[in-house]
Every structure is written in structure tokens, then in C-alpha cells.
Amino acid sequence: MDLAGRRGRGAVTGSIRVDGNTLLLGDGVHVRFIRTLRLPESGTHALPPNLGEFPLRRVEDYPDTVPGEWLAKGGVMLPVYLREAMWLSFGGTREPAALQVGVGKVCAVSGERWSGRLARAPQNYVVLPRQPWLDGINSGDGTVRQFVAVPLGLGATVEGQVTGEETTGGVQLQAFPLGPQALERWREGERARLLPPPPPAPGGGGLYGGPPAPAGGYGAPAPMRAAAPAAPGAAAPAAPAMGLGVGGSMLQEVYRDDRALSAWAPEPAARIFVHLVTPPAWRRITGEEPPPSPVDRAAYTRAGLPWFDYYDESGHDLPPAGTLGQVKPVGDWLGDDHTPWTPPNPHQITPLGPTPRPGKPVRDGDW
């Protein structure tokens, strides 16, 4: 596994596709779910690394083995271990978009309940491509608290702590493009900015002649071995429901939108439900082995491998969301796992600066 870098490598129905392990929402929003090291729940830390992508599968491809309620919701699924951490990468998104991220239908940015509309007081979305990734819920003051997978029913999820109920789980995404006039103005501005074309930088350059975009990550996850498929015709049993709680705090800003709310389209271009599946359920549903359990974070740090720090001097961080600030980490509910913490040396923290083929469409459902 290549460990050289961290980041970067319907009305609504029918506007979502899966290309490999990337979700393509609408006309250009790219979302990948990235495996990473789980942070300690005390202190504030640098950005943890990219340890490969979570595999994505369309729910509708497994009609005989997924629970019926999953088929009704549609969307995609990914395998995740108890207490495994993840982050969302938006690398590859080219044109502006407003993306809502829900955890159990609680907004990860505002802490409000899920809404089909964009809002500004408080802001309930991230702005792409300015926001290159999102590692957790918005805790303000230039920090987020890490997404960590936990089962429903214990009260440990963000959903359970904010709403008092755990009935939804999973992750919800909804993408809004710019309205036609605002989009045309943005495109005109980009055309003007690109003329005359700048000379190519030595070694090539990224989009618009700037520095190369972050690479696609650490490479593909470990190959998945086939497991025994479910017996044909057998009724699909219920699968354990999983959601997202929070772990440790890290240095990451959630940027304030500098456009008028009216610049965005009033309706989403795409929305999708992402089911979180336990490894045993993944084997039973897909007939595949899940990726191996995540690497030990102390061993990673002792090996001298990189952590990261991202800074955008022109961006403005959102204030903390009141309800999200009260969410307790999963360790308060599940107990301390006593995993030792080895902080990275300063030289291990790497500073970062700010056309896929079509995949299969994903069916949206009722959620």
C-alpha cells in the first residue's frame, strides 16, 4: 500500500453513479470514503493519513441478500469495523457545489436535523471544491471531531445524542449546483482568469495551471477475496445497523460560504443514502471479504510515516454548532480501548495547500 500522501488521490434519481469507489453526484461532485487512523479522544491533533478507500457497492445489486428496508432506501453500502474512523474526500470536484452531509440525518456542519433545503443561519453545507475533505462534525475554532463508526442502540451516535433517537444511521449526501446565472458568471470568470494560458510549470501542473492536485490517495485497498455466497432463495436477514459517533479532535476548518444563498439552485441535483455495514454482514450480503482491520496508529507513527496540516489563508471558518459541541466521544459510551498513543514528530507533519469514465447509476429511494 502506497503511503506517500494523504489527500486527493431523482429529479434526483439517476443523477448518481458509482465509478470504482467514487460517488459521482450530479454533474461533477466527487465523494470518496477514506479509511484512516482513529485519533485519541483527548487533545487536538494533525490530520491523520489516507489508508485507502472504502469499497462501495450498490444496494440494488444484492436484492436477495440485503434487508428489504435497505432496498427501499436505495443507495450504496460500505463495510466498516466497530470504532473505525473515516473521512470524506471531495477531490476531483471541479465546479462549485454545495454539499450537505448528514450522519443519521443530523447535519454534520450545523447540528440541525436533515433538511432538503440549504440554510445559512446556521450554514448547513460545505462548499466544494474549496472544502477539500471533511473528517468529522464541525466543532468550530478551526477543528472537527473525527467520524467513528458505532452500532445503533447504544446512544453513542451523533444521531442518538442530538435527537434522542437512533432510527436512521448511515450517511446522507445531497448536492446542490449553482443556479444557471451564477454558474455562467463563474465560468466566465474562469475563462477570463485562464487567458492568456500560463506557461506549463516544470513537471506539469494541476487544474488551471496551478500546482498539481493532490494525488488519488495511497492506492487501492487490499484485494478482496471471495467468501461463500448466501444460499439462493434464502430470505435476507436483518443486518446490524451502524451509524457515526465522534472521536478525537483535529485541526481542520469548515469554510464559510462567501456567496449569497440565492446563488445556489433551489433543488438538489443528487442525493444518496450510504449504508454502513459490519464486516460479517458484508461477507453475507456481497460474498466478499471486507478490507483488513485498520493499521495500528502507534506502529504507523513509529515508522515515521506522514500526518498532515492544511491551511487556506483566504478561507473563513464556521463558528461551532451548538448541538454538535455537546456530542460526547464514543469512548464515553463504549469504554476506553487503551490503545497507546504515540504523537508524531514535527517533521512527520506535512503541510498541504489548497475526467472519470461513467459508472453505473445508483437508484435513490425513500428515506
Side-chain angles (χ1 to χ4, degrees), residues 29-31 90 93-99 126-133 259 264:
V29 173
H30 291 219
V31 181
F90 310 129
T93 302
R94 299 307 186 196
E95 295 191 331
L99 181 70
V126 293
V127 180
L128 309 185
R130 157 152 263 176
Q131 190 80 38
W133 45 73
R259 292 182 174 87
W264 301 104

Side-chain angles (χ1 to χ4, degrees), residues 46-240:
L47 300 176
N50 178 334
L51 298 180
E53 301 168 356
F54 285 93
L56 289 179
R57 301 290 181 266
R58 301 191 312 164
V59 167
E60 63 201 87
D61 288 337
Y62 303 91
D64 297 327
T65 52
V66 298
E69 60 269 26
W70 292 19
L71 286 173
K73 291 179 179 178
V76 297
M77 56 187 174
L78 61 84
V80 63
Y81 290 84
L82 175 65
R83 290 195 181 195
E84 185 172 5
M86 70 169 61
W87 51 272
L88 277 60
S89 169
F90 310 129
T93 302
R94 299 307 186 196
E95 295 191 331
L99 181 70
Q100 293 180 315
V101 179
V103 288
K105 295 181 76 170
V106 172
C107 178
V109 176
S110 70
E112 302 288 327
R113 289 180 183 255
W114 183 261
S115 167
R117 295 287 183 269
L118 300 180
R120 217 34 180 280
Q123 182 175 314
N124 66 353
Y125 57 94
V126 293
V127 180
L128 309 185
R130 157 152 263 176
Q131 190 80 38
W133 45 73
L134 185 66
D135 287 62
I137 64 171
N138 170 34
S139 47
D141 301 321
T143 68
V144 300
R145 298 176 67 196
Q146 190 173 40
F147 292 133
V148 176
V150 287
L152 302 190
L154 302 178
T157 62
V158 175
E159 174 188 1
Q161 295 186 58
V162 171
T163 71
E165 300 176 333
E166 289 183 315
T167 58
T168 303
V171 177
Q172 299 76 42
L173 302 172
Q174 190 160 253
F176 292 76
L178 285 173
Q181 294 181 342
L183 180 58
E184 184 54 34
R185 287 195 298 270
W186 180 84
R187 288 173 174 170
E188 288 177 358
E190 288 301 300
R191 287 192 289 267
R193 187 167 69 86
L194 291 175
L195 295 174
L207 185 66
Y208 306 142
Y218 293 148
M224 293 184 291
R225 302 178 302 280

Side-chain angles (χ1 to χ4, degrees), residues 12 72 125 167 241 285 295 297 318:
V12 173
Y125 57 94
T167 58
I285 291 170
V295 68
R297 65 194 181 204
L318 288 175

